[in-house]
């Protein structure tokens, strides 16, 4: 690695020790400026979900409602509301809700003074009903349902809907039964369309490019917060929104979600980063583990086992097989390497992967006992980490999607500890 690049970008005082430590990382390019503002937005050509697709989602939801004998579902603000209607709102003590009947047009209920703001993001339908501060929003919902011929039957709610909403609707329409809405909402959202996969691919590209930028600018003495700021800034400059980053150094890398202990990068530090962003509402989630300087043989061995663990998970993700079989395969492999087949440490203390889409974590998961069959359009993280308390942890995470012939990656996992970045996989549906 050429010292003059360090003098140019970091100054002579910071150049010698920190960057010599990164000389063993083949993915590092010292010609990259440390200023995130030099990065360009790569999401400009990305297309939001169309009106036609949202309408097709509602049609599918209504078909599932008929199949599961639901007269209607009520959706509170969150990913499902956005998925069907485009409305991006928050939950408060004042009810805003989307009503999807089995037959007829959807409707939105919101406080009178919020209507103009709610309508800014509404993409489908024009029936927006309001309630005043002294009125019951549940009576307004009841009026909507009655206008569509619904006075009895089953009304679906997702498990995240708050108790006061379920209770309020039960009182407003006592002839209706309460059922879980997940067979409808997850029955739609679990299976991603080509448009959704395209946006997820772009989000993963943003995050992977940001990793390349950060790898090129790690220095001795950096804190977790320093790296988080750098990673988030890079993703934002590249066009990602809702960016996040978890930075774990040294023995803190043995705790999947970190500790409050202060950590800085030093010679030989294990650096575990977990980060993501969204593009038009669709998420990325990538983890990388590298060593700043020379890795011990133990760290390298564990890194290689984790990398093979990803291969095992990928191979086990077969169309028609239960999602839990992926987790089973990884634990059997880890057991062959001397780790527990369960959740004991040192070992893999969490599931092998989670569903992902509009939310960073959504059903279903690569976890023991999950019987849902893998099908085309499902998306998952593949992250079979290994954690050794008091020493270090290794997590490599790449997201995949199911095709008719099996899994495909958005990003290809890294090839070795000295080439810890990986690469973007060209996207085809």
């Amino acid at each position: 690695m050429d010292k003059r690049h360090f003098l140019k970008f970091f100054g002579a005082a910071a150049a010698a020790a920190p960057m010599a430590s990164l000389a063993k990382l083949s993915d590092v390019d010292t010609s990259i400026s440390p200023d995130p503002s030099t990065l360009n937005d790569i999401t400009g050509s990305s297309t939001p979900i169309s009106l036609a697709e949202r309408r097709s989602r509602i049609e599918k939801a209504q078909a599932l409602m008929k199949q599961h004998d639901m007269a209607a579902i009520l959706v509170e603000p969150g990913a499902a509301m956005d998925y069907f209607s485009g409305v991006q709102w928050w939950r408060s003590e004042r009810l805003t809700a989307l009503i999807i009947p089995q037959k007829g047009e959807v409707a939105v209920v919101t406080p009178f003074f919020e209507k103009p703001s709610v309508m800014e993001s509404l993409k489908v339908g024009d029936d927006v009903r309001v309630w005043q501060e002294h009125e019951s929003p549940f009576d307004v919902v009841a009026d909507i349902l009655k206008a569509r011929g619904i006075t009895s039957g089953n009304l679906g709610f997702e498990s995240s809907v708050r108790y006061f909403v379920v209770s309020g609707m039960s009182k407003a329409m006592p002839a209706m039964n309460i059922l879980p809405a997940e067979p409808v909402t997850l029955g739609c959202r679990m299976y991603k369309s080509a448009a959704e996969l395209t946006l997820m691919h772009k989000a993963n590209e943003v995050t992977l490019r940001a990793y390349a930028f950060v790898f090129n600018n790690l220095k001795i003495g950096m804190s977790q917060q320093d790296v988080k700021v750098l990673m988030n800034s890079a993703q934002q400059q590249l066009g990602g929104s809702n960016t996040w980053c978890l930075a774990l150094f040294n023995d803190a890398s043995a705790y999947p979600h970190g500790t409050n202990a202060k950590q800085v990068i030093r010679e030989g530090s294990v650096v575990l980063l977990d980060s993501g962003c969204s593009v038009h509402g669709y998420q990325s989630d990538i983890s990388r583990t590298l060593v700043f300087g020379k890795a011990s043989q133990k760290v390298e061995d564990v890194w290689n086992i984790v990398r093979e663990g990803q291969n095992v998970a990928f191979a086990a993700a077969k169309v028609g097989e239960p999602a839990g079989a992926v987790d089973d395969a990884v634990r059997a492999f880890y057991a062959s390497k001397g780790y527990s087949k369960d959740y004991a440490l040192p070992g893999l203390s969490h599931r092998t992967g989670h569903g992902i889409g509009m939310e960073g974590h959504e059903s279903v998961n690569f976890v023991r006992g999950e019987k849902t069959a893998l099908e085309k359009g499902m998306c998952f993280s593949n992250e079979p980490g290994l954690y050794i308390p008091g020493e270090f942890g290794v997590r490599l995470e790449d997201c995949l999607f199911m095709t008719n012939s099996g899994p495909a990656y958005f990003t290809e996992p890294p090839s070795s500890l000295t080439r810890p970045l990986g690469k973007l996989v060209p996207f085809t549906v």
Side-chain angles (χ1 to χ4, degrees):
M1 188 169 281
D2 191 334
K3 183 177 178 180
R4 70 176 181 275
H5 289 107
F6 309 135
L7 297 178
K8 178 178 179 181
F9 292 120
F10 300 106
M19 307 314 285
S21 299
L22 281 177
K24 297 182 182 299
L25 294 182
S26 304
D27 286 334
V28 171
D29 177 1
T30 55
S31 67
I32 293 180
S33 166
D35 182 2
S37 68
T38 61
L39 300 172
N40 297 317
D41 188 339
I42 62 171
T43 66
S45 61
S46 297
T47 304
I49 299 300
S50 68
L51 173 60
E53 181 153 337
R54 291 191 195 279
R55 285 177 172 161
S56 70
R57 293 171 175 180
I58 292 170
E59 290 174 1
K60 181 177 180 180
Q62 290 175 322
L64 288 170
M65 289 160 63
K66 183 176 182 180
Q67 178 182 334
H68 292 280
D69 191 25
M70 291 186 205
I73 63 172
L74 182 150
V75 180
E76 279 209 89
M81 180 180 281
D82 188 0
Y83 178 86
F84 289 112
S85 71
V87 172
Q88 297 173 2
W89 205 244
W90 60 89
R91 299 186 185 192
S92 74
E93 77 280 8
R94 297 181 174 99
L95 180 68
T96 291
L98 171 70
I99 313 302
I100 305 178
Q102 187 189 116
K103 297 179 181 179
E105 296 298 314
V106 302
V108 175
V109 176
T110 195
F112 169 77
F113 65 92
E114 302 285 25
K115 180 178 178 180
S117 300
V118 168
M119 291 190 68
E120 286 180 349
S121 56
L122 179 64
K123 297 295 190 297
V124 59
D126 57 8
D127 188 357
V128 180
R129 309 284 183 95
V130 300
W131 56 280
Q132 304 291 352
E133 292 280 64
H134 67 286
E135 296 175 330
S136 167
F138 308 112
D139 291 339
V140 179
V141 175
D143 288 341
I144 291 171
L145 294 175
K146 291 172 184 176
R148 287 153 176 78
I150 301 171
T151 57
S152 62
N154 296 317
L155 181 60
F157 295 87
E158 289 189 304
S159 60
S160 65
V161 172
R162 294 166 296 173
Y163 176 77
F164 86 89
V165 179
V166 178
S167 175
M169 283 309 306
S170 295
K171 293 175 182 176
M173 300 196 75
M176 298 204 73
N177 302 314
I178 304 303
L179 288 183
E182 276 76 10
V184 175
T185 56
L186 292 183
C188 293
R189 291 182 55 208
M190 273 199 302
Y191 310 101
K192 275 63 177 182
S193 68
E196 292 175 288
L197 294 173
T198 299
L199 291 173
M200 292 178 70
H201 185 265
K202 181 58 68 173
N204 278 275
E205 180 182 0
V206 167
T207 300
L208 195 65
R209 288 200 186 196
Y211 267 119
F213 174 83
V214 169
F215 284 2
N216 289 313
N217 290 289
L218 293 175
K219 295 186 290 183
I220 282 179
M222 274 185 159
S223 68
Q224 298 113 306
Q225 186 62 26
D226 293 333
V227 176
K228 289 178 186 178
V229 168
L230 196 63
M231 187 69 185
N232 286 329
S233 297
Q235 290 187 98
Q236 290 160 14
Q237 285 295 124
L238 288 162
S241 60
N242 300 315
T243 62
W244 57 273
C245 179
L246 181 68
L248 307 175
F249 306 158
N250 310 314
D251 60 315
S253 62
Y255 302 93
H257 287 164
T259 73
N260 291 324
K262 300 295 183 182
Q263 296 279 356
V264 298
I265 295 176
R266 58 178 185 261
E267 180 68 24
S269 284
V270 173
V271 176
L272 193 164
L273 304 179
D274 188 350
S275 190
C277 70
S278 67
V279 173
H280 292 304
Y282 285 83
Q283 303 285 320
S284 62
D285 191 354
I286 301 174
S287 295
R288 292 293 183 257
T289 303
L290 58 86
V291 174
F292 195 97
K294 181 174 176 56
S296 69
Q297 189 61 53
K298 185 173 184 178
V299 170
E300 185 170 357
D301 289 345
V302 172
W303 194 100
N304 288 334
I305 292 171
V306 171
R307 179 63 191 85
E308 183 58 27
Q310 283 191 297
N311 289 340
V312 169
F314 191 83
K318 298 176 180 178
V319 172
E321 291 296 311
V326 177
D327 190 74
D328 293 341
V330 169
R331 293 185 189 280
F333 168 68
Y334 281 174
S336 74
K337 299 296 181 180
Y339 295 96
S340 170
K341 67 177 181 179
D342 297 313
Y343 299 92
L345 294 172
L348 173 56
S349 54
H350 56 73
R351 62 199 172 197
T352 293
H354 55 79
I356 186 169
M358 294 185 74
E359 295 175 286
H361 289 190
E362 56 185 50
S363 294
V364 295
N365 301 305
F366 288 152
V367 67
R368 177 180 294 173
E370 178 56 66
K371 299 185 185 304
T372 304
L374 298 176
E375 296 183 37
K376 179 183 177 181
M378 289 181 169
C379 298
F380 301 91
S381 69
N382 179 358
E383 50 177 317
L386 283 174
Y387 309 95
I388 304 173
E391 296 186 46
F392 64 91
V394 173
R395 181 162 69 251
L396 303 172
E397 176 185 15
D398 295 88
C399 290
L400 59 83
F401 59 98
M402 298 302 296
T403 72
N404 283 328
S405 58
Y409 275 125
F410 292 109
T411 55
E412 185 175 297
S415 58
S416 69
L417 183 55
T418 58
R419 299 190 68 87
L421 182 60
K423 63 182 180 182
L424 189 72
V425 178
F427 180 68
T428 56
V429 180

